[in-house]
Short mmCIF file of all heavy atoms in Angstrom, two decimals:
data_model
loop_
_atom_site.label_atom_id
_atom_site.label_comp_id
_atom_site.label_asym_id
_atom_site.label_seq_id
_atom_site.Cartn_x
_atom_site.Cartn_y
_atom_site.Cartn_z
N LYS R 1 44.50 -62.44 81.92
CA LYS R 1 45.70 -62.59 81.09
C LYS R 1 45.64 -63.87 80.21
O LYS R 1 46.17 -63.87 79.13
CB LYS R 1 46.98 -62.68 82.11
CG LYS R 1 47.25 -61.33 82.73
CD LYS R 1 48.48 -61.56 83.58
CE LYS R 1 48.85 -60.17 84.29
NZ LYS R 1 49.93 -60.32 85.20
N GLU R 2 45.03 -64.90 80.74
CA GLU R 2 44.75 -66.07 79.96
C GLU R 2 44.06 -65.87 78.60
O GLU R 2 44.43 -66.34 77.52
CB GLU R 2 44.12 -67.17 80.71
CG GLU R 2 44.96 -67.67 81.99
CD GLU R 2 44.59 -66.90 83.27
OE1 GLU R 2 44.16 -65.70 83.07
OE2 GLU R 2 44.80 -67.41 84.23
N GLU R 3 42.94 -65.14 78.79
CA GLU R 3 42.17 -64.73 77.66
C GLU R 3 42.84 -63.86 76.64
O GLU R 3 42.74 -64.00 75.41
CB GLU R 3 40.81 -64.05 78.16
CG GLU R 3 39.84 -65.01 78.84
CD GLU R 3 38.75 -64.25 79.46
OE1 GLU R 3 38.90 -63.15 79.91
OE2 GLU R 3 37.61 -64.78 79.37
N ALA R 4 43.66 -62.93 77.23
CA ALA R 4 44.51 -62.10 76.32
C ALA R 4 45.51 -62.92 75.61
O ALA R 4 45.68 -62.61 74.30
CB ALA R 4 45.16 -61.08 77.18
N LEU R 5 46.13 -63.77 76.27
CA LEU R 5 47.11 -64.68 75.57
C LEU R 5 46.48 -65.53 74.47
O LEU R 5 47.01 -65.64 73.31
CB LEU R 5 47.86 -65.58 76.54
CG LEU R 5 48.97 -64.97 77.39
CD1 LEU R 5 49.32 -65.80 78.58
CD2 LEU R 5 50.15 -64.76 76.52
N GLU R 6 45.30 -66.02 74.79
CA GLU R 6 44.67 -66.94 73.79
C GLU R 6 44.30 -66.07 72.54
O GLU R 6 44.39 -66.54 71.42
CB GLU R 6 43.30 -67.51 74.41
CG GLU R 6 42.70 -68.53 73.59
CD GLU R 6 41.43 -69.11 74.18
OE1 GLU R 6 41.13 -68.75 75.40
OE2 GLU R 6 40.81 -69.97 73.64
N ALA R 7 43.76 -64.82 72.82
CA ALA R 7 43.42 -63.97 71.74
C ALA R 7 44.60 -63.64 70.80
O ALA R 7 44.50 -63.60 69.57
CB ALA R 7 42.65 -62.73 72.19
N LEU R 8 45.74 -63.24 71.46
CA LEU R 8 46.90 -62.88 70.73
C LEU R 8 47.51 -64.06 69.98
O LEU R 8 48.13 -63.86 68.97
CB LEU R 8 47.92 -62.32 71.74
CG LEU R 8 47.57 -60.97 72.31
CD1 LEU R 8 48.54 -60.49 73.33
CD2 LEU R 8 47.55 -59.84 71.14
N GLN R 9 47.40 -65.31 70.46
CA GLN R 9 47.79 -66.47 69.77
C GLN R 9 47.08 -66.62 68.47
O GLN R 9 47.62 -66.90 67.43
CB GLN R 9 47.62 -67.66 70.63
CG GLN R 9 48.73 -67.88 71.72
CD GLN R 9 48.48 -69.05 72.63
OE1 GLN R 9 47.30 -69.51 72.67
NE2 GLN R 9 49.43 -69.36 73.46
N VAL R 10 45.74 -66.36 68.56
CA VAL R 10 44.91 -66.47 67.31
C VAL R 10 45.33 -65.40 66.31
O VAL R 10 45.48 -65.70 65.11
CB VAL R 10 43.42 -66.27 67.68
CG1 VAL R 10 42.56 -66.14 66.44
CG2 VAL R 10 42.91 -67.45 68.56
N VAL R 11 45.51 -64.21 66.75
CA VAL R 11 45.91 -63.11 65.92
C VAL R 11 47.32 -63.34 65.26
O VAL R 11 47.32 -63.13 64.03
CB VAL R 11 45.95 -61.72 66.65
CG1 VAL R 11 46.47 -60.69 65.81
CG2 VAL R 11 44.60 -61.36 67.20
N ARG R 12 48.29 -63.81 66.02
CA ARG R 12 49.52 -64.08 65.46
C ARG R 12 49.54 -65.19 64.50
O ARG R 12 50.16 -65.07 63.42
CB ARG R 12 50.59 -64.45 66.61
CG ARG R 12 51.96 -64.68 66.06
CD ARG R 12 52.97 -64.87 67.30
NE ARG R 12 53.26 -63.62 67.85
CZ ARG R 12 54.25 -62.90 67.45
NH1 ARG R 12 54.99 -63.13 66.38
NH2 ARG R 12 54.56 -61.69 68.06
N GLN R 13 48.75 -66.25 64.72
CA GLN R 13 48.67 -67.32 63.75
C GLN R 13 47.95 -66.93 62.49
O GLN R 13 48.38 -67.28 61.40
CB GLN R 13 47.83 -68.55 64.39
CG GLN R 13 48.62 -69.25 65.45
CD GLN R 13 47.74 -70.23 66.22
OE1 GLN R 13 46.68 -70.57 65.92
NE2 GLN R 13 48.30 -70.71 67.34
N GLU R 14 46.98 -65.96 62.55
CA GLU R 14 46.30 -65.55 61.33
C GLU R 14 47.30 -64.57 60.57
O GLU R 14 47.39 -64.81 59.31
CB GLU R 14 45.10 -64.66 61.78
CG GLU R 14 43.91 -65.50 62.19
CD GLU R 14 43.25 -66.21 61.07
OE1 GLU R 14 43.09 -65.66 60.02
OE2 GLU R 14 43.05 -67.47 61.31
N CYS R 15 48.09 -63.79 61.28
CA CYS R 15 49.04 -62.92 60.58
C CYS R 15 50.09 -63.79 59.97
O CYS R 15 50.65 -63.51 58.85
CB CYS R 15 49.58 -61.97 61.50
SG CYS R 15 48.48 -60.63 62.08
N HIS R 16 50.60 -64.91 60.55
CA HIS R 16 51.52 -65.77 60.09
C HIS R 16 51.08 -66.40 58.82
O HIS R 16 51.77 -66.58 57.82
CB HIS R 16 51.99 -66.82 61.10
CG HIS R 16 53.09 -67.72 60.70
ND1 HIS R 16 52.73 -68.96 59.97
CD2 HIS R 16 54.39 -67.72 60.68
CE1 HIS R 16 53.84 -69.58 59.64
NE2 HIS R 16 54.83 -68.83 60.00
N GLY R 17 49.78 -66.74 58.83
CA GLY R 17 49.18 -67.43 57.60
C GLY R 17 49.10 -66.43 56.55
O GLY R 17 49.40 -66.82 55.30
N ASP R 18 48.84 -65.22 56.76
CA ASP R 18 48.82 -64.19 55.78
C ASP R 18 50.18 -64.00 55.14
O ASP R 18 50.35 -63.95 53.95
CB ASP R 18 48.35 -62.87 56.32
CG ASP R 18 46.86 -62.86 56.63
OD1 ASP R 18 46.19 -63.82 56.20
OD2 ASP R 18 46.41 -61.96 57.40
N ALA R 19 51.19 -63.92 55.93
CA ALA R 19 52.56 -63.74 55.49
C ALA R 19 53.03 -64.99 54.62
O ALA R 19 53.65 -64.82 53.58
CB ALA R 19 53.52 -63.63 56.63
N ALA R 20 52.61 -66.16 55.06
CA ALA R 20 52.97 -67.34 54.25
C ALA R 20 52.32 -67.31 52.84
O ALA R 20 52.96 -67.67 51.90
CB ALA R 20 52.62 -68.63 55.05
N ARG R 21 51.02 -66.95 52.87
CA ARG R 21 50.28 -66.88 51.61
C ARG R 21 50.87 -65.82 50.66
O ARG R 21 50.91 -66.05 49.43
CB ARG R 21 48.78 -66.71 51.85
CG ARG R 21 48.07 -67.92 52.37
CD ARG R 21 46.59 -67.70 52.47
NE ARG R 21 46.19 -66.62 53.45
CZ ARG R 21 45.93 -66.89 54.71
NH1 ARG R 21 45.98 -68.19 55.11
NH2 ARG R 21 45.52 -66.00 55.57
N THR R 22 51.28 -64.72 51.24
CA THR R 22 51.84 -63.66 50.48
C THR R 22 53.18 -64.07 49.87
O THR R 22 53.51 -63.82 48.76
CB THR R 22 52.07 -62.39 51.31
OG1 THR R 22 50.81 -61.98 51.87
CG2 THR R 22 52.74 -61.26 50.55
N ALA R 23 53.99 -64.77 50.72
CA ALA R 23 55.25 -65.27 50.19
C ALA R 23 55.13 -66.34 49.05
O ALA R 23 55.89 -66.38 48.14
CB ALA R 23 56.07 -65.81 51.40
N GLY R 24 54.05 -67.09 49.19
CA GLY R 24 53.87 -68.14 48.22
C GLY R 24 53.25 -67.56 46.94
O GLY R 24 53.27 -68.22 45.95
N GLY R 25 52.71 -66.29 46.96
CA GLY R 25 52.22 -65.67 45.72
C GLY R 25 50.78 -65.94 45.50
O GLY R 25 50.37 -67.20 45.38
N SER R 26 49.96 -64.98 45.41
CA SER R 26 48.55 -65.03 45.06
C SER R 26 47.80 -65.98 45.94
O SER R 26 46.73 -66.62 45.55
CB SER R 26 48.42 -65.32 43.59
OG SER R 26 48.76 -66.60 43.36
N GLY R 27 48.23 -66.22 47.18
CA GLY R 27 47.47 -67.11 48.13
C GLY R 27 47.51 -68.61 47.68
O GLY R 27 46.72 -69.34 48.22
N ALA R 28 48.28 -69.00 46.78
CA ALA R 28 48.20 -70.34 46.25
C ALA R 28 48.80 -71.29 47.29
O ALA R 28 49.83 -70.96 47.89
CB ALA R 28 48.84 -70.53 44.94
N THR R 29 48.26 -72.48 47.37
CA THR R 29 48.85 -73.50 48.25
C THR R 29 50.16 -74.02 47.67
O THR R 29 50.26 -74.18 46.43
CB THR R 29 47.89 -74.70 48.47
OG1 THR R 29 46.72 -74.19 49.00
CG2 THR R 29 48.49 -75.79 49.38
N ARG R 30 51.23 -74.15 48.50
CA ARG R 30 52.53 -74.63 47.93
C ARG R 30 52.39 -75.98 47.43
O ARG R 30 51.82 -77.00 48.07
CB ARG R 30 53.52 -74.56 49.03
CG ARG R 30 54.88 -75.03 48.68
CD ARG R 30 55.73 -75.34 49.91
NE ARG R 30 56.98 -75.93 49.45
CZ ARG R 30 57.79 -76.65 50.30
NH1 ARG R 30 57.41 -76.86 51.54
NH2 ARG R 30 58.95 -77.01 49.88
N LYS R 31 52.91 -76.16 46.24
CA LYS R 31 52.97 -77.52 45.55
C LYS R 31 54.39 -77.93 45.46
O LYS R 31 55.27 -77.16 45.01
CB LYS R 31 52.28 -77.46 44.24
CG LYS R 31 50.82 -77.14 44.25
CD LYS R 31 50.21 -77.11 42.88
CE LYS R 31 48.64 -76.78 42.96
NZ LYS R 31 48.48 -75.41 43.36
N CYS R 32 54.66 -79.15 45.83
CA CYS R 32 55.97 -79.73 45.63
C CYS R 32 55.93 -81.21 45.52
O CYS R 32 54.88 -81.86 45.87
CB CYS R 32 56.92 -79.35 46.80
SG CYS R 32 56.36 -79.87 48.45
N THR R 33 56.98 -81.87 45.08
CA THR R 33 56.94 -83.37 44.92
C THR R 33 57.48 -83.92 46.21
O THR R 33 58.17 -83.29 47.17
CB THR R 33 57.81 -83.77 43.83
OG1 THR R 33 59.16 -83.43 44.11
CG2 THR R 33 57.39 -83.06 42.54
#
């Protein structure tokens, strides 16, 4: 179960990163002052 949790944490973080890049548009890093 520990290995399963670790794997799912990696997957969720990757998916979250994809969603953030999509929301930001064309994968660009957010720029602000």
